[in-house]
C-alpha cells in the first residue's frame, strides 16, 4: 500500500513540476516577444513553418470534414423532413468546433512535432548550450519567434478552414444531394452570428500557444541522444492533443 501511495505521489509531483516548468517557459517566451532585439527574420521563418506549410493539409481536412458533415446531417434530418437545416448545422459546427479543433490537431501533428524534434536535436548536440555561452538568451531566440508564429498563424488557418469547410458542405448538399442553392445559403447565414466565428478564432489562438509552447518545452528539455529526441517528439504531440481537447471543452463551457 505504501509503495502504491509513493508511486502516486511521485506521479502527481512530476505532473505539477512539469506544469510549473511549462508555465515558466511560456511566460519567459511571451516577455521575449515584446523585449528587444525583435527577431523579425526568425518570426517570419517560423510563420512559414507553422502556418504556410500547414495550409494544404489543413484545407483538405476542412473540406472533407464539411462534406461528410453535410452528408451525415442530410441523412439524419431527412427522417423528419428538416433537410433545409443542413447548411445551418454545417456552418455552426465548423465555425464553433470543427474548424479550430481540427486545425489545432493537424498543426500539432505536423508543426508541433517538427518544433520538438528541431529543438531536441539542438539540445542533445549542445547547440542551445552554445547560445548561452555566446550570451544569447535561448528562450528569446528560439521559443519567442515560434510562440508568436503559433499565436498569429493558427487563427488565420482556422479562418481559411471555416470557409473551405462551409464550401465543402455546400458542394455536397447542392450538387450531390440536390438541395436548393438559395435556401442552403440563406440557412447557412440565418443563424450564424459573429460570436460563433470569434469564439472559434479565439480558440485557435489558444491552440497555437499550446502547440508551440509544448513543442518548444519538450524539445528544449530533451535528453538522452536520438532516443530522447524521439521521445520528446512523441511527447509533444500527445501532450498538445490532450491539452487542445481539454482546453476546448473549458472554453466551450465558458463561451456558450
Amino acid at each position: 500500500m505504501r509503495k502504491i501511495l509513493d508511486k502516486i505521489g511521485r506521479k502527481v509531483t512530476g505532473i505539477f513540476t512539469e506544469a510549473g516548468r511549462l508555465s515558466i517557459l511560456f511566460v519567459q517566451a511571451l516577455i521575449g516577444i515584446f523585449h528587444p532585439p525583435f527577431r523579425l527574420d526568425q518570426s517570419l521563418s517560423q510563420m512559414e513553418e507553422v502556418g504556410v506549410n500547414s495550409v494544404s493539409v489543413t484545407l483538405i481536412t476542412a473540406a472533407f470534414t464539411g462534406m461528410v458533415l453535410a452528408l451525415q446531417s442530410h441523412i439524419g434530418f431527412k427522417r423528419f423532413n428538416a433537410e433545409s437545416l443542413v447548411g445551418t448545422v454545417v456552418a455552426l459546427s465548423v465555425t464553433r468546433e470543427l474548424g479550430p479543433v481540427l486545425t489545432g490537431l493537424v498543426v500539432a501533428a505536423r508543426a508541433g512535432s517538427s518544433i520538438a524534434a528541431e529543438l531536441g536535436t539542438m539540445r542533445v548536440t549542445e547547440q542551445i548550450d552554445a547560445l548561452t555561452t555566446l550570451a544569447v538568451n535561448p528562450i528569446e531566440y528560439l521559443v519567442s519567434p515560434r510562440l508568436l508564429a503559433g499565436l498569429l498563424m493558427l487563427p488565420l488557418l482556422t479562418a481559411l478552414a471555416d470557409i473551405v469547410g462551409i464550401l465543402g458542405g455546400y458542394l455536397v448538399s447542392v450538387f450531390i444531394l440536390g438541395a436548393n442553392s438559395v435556401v442552403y445559403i440563406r440557412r447557412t447565414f440565418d443563424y450564424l452570428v459573429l460570436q460563433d466565428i470569434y469564439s472559434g478564432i479565439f480558440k485557435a489562438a489558444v491552440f497555437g500557444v499550446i502547440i508551440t509552447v509544448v513543442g518548444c518545452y519538450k524539445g528544449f528539455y530533451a535528453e538522452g541522444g536520438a532516443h530522447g529526441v524521439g521521445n520528446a517528439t512523441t511527447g509533444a504531440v500527445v501532450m498538445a492533443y490532450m491539452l487542445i481537447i481539454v482546453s476546448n471543452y473549458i472554453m466551450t463551457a465558458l463561451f456558450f
Side-chain angles (χ1 to χ4, degrees):
M1 186 66 181
R2 184 176 178 180
K3 289 182 179 179
I4 296 175
L5 292 176
D6 286 344
K7 189 174 181 180
I8 294 174
R10 285 196 297 271
K11 196 74 176 176
V12 172
T13 302
I15 291 173
F16 278 103
T17 301
E18 194 164 46
R21 295 169 72 186
L22 191 66
S23 300
I24 292 171
L25 182 70
F26 166 65
V27 172
Q28 290 177 330
L30 189 62
I31 293 172
I33 293 177
F34 304 100
H35 185 271
F38 301 108
R39 305 183 188 283
L40 183 60
D41 290 344
Q42 286 96 329
S43 297
L44 291 175
S45 174
Q46 292 306 317
M47 287 179 191
E48 180 182 5
E49 173 62 27
V50 174
V52 177
N53 293 344
S54 301
V55 167
S56 58
V57 66
T58 299
L59 296 189
I60 291 172
T61 302
F64 281 93
T65 298
M67 293 164 72
V68 169
L69 189 59
L71 194 59
Q72 291 282 20
S73 300
H74 178 85
I75 294 171
F77 288 167
K78 192 176 181 180
R79 297 173 183 172
F80 39 89
N81 297 320
E83 299 96 317
S84 61
L85 293 176
V86 170
T88 303
V89 171
V90 172
L92 292 180
S93 301
V94 169
T95 54
R96 284 185 175 191
E97 298 296 333
L98 296 178
V101 172
L102 290 178
T103 300
L105 296 180
V106 166
V107 175
R110 206 207 64 77
S113 59
S114 174
I115 290 171
E118 184 179 1
L119 295 195
T121 302
M122 293 181 70
R123 168 61 73 186
V124 299
T125 56
E126 300 183 351
Q127 294 180 59
I128 293 178
D129 296 329
L131 288 174
T132 305
T133 304
L134 294 171
V136 175
N137 186 326
I139 295 178
E140 290 185 3
Y141 186 78
L142 297 172
V143 183
S144 295
R146 289 171 171 81
L147 174 60
L148 181 62
L151 193 59
L152 295 179
M153 298 311 292
L154 263 292
L156 292 176
L157 283 174
T158 298
L160 289 174
D162 288 348
I163 295 171
V164 172
I166 292 173
L167 181 61
Y170 171 84
L171 294 175
V172 168
S173 296
V174 173
F175 294 104
I176 296 179
L177 301 175
N180 183 286
S181 175
V182 175
V183 172
Y184 187 91
I185 293 173
R186 192 174 70 238
R187 289 293 187 183
T188 295
F189 295 104
D190 271 352
Y191 300 99
L192 189 66
V193 297
L194 287 178
Q195 185 188 2
D196 300 320
I197 300 171
Y198 291 156
S199 63
I201 298 299
F202 179 81
K203 286 181 178 181
V206 174
F207 297 158
V209 171
I210 290 173
I211 293 165
T212 50
V213 172
V214 168
C216 291
Y217 169 76
K218 287 294 185 180
F220 203 81
Y221 293 105
E223 55 186 14
H227 182 68
V229 175
N231 288 338
T233 304
T234 305
V237 175
V238 172
M239 182 182 283
Y241 267 52
M242 297 301 293
L243 290 178
I244 286 173
I245 297 299
V246 173
S247 63
N248 179 59
Y249 172 79
I250 294 171
M251 287 187 285
T252 300
L254 292 175
F255 289 146
F256 304 103

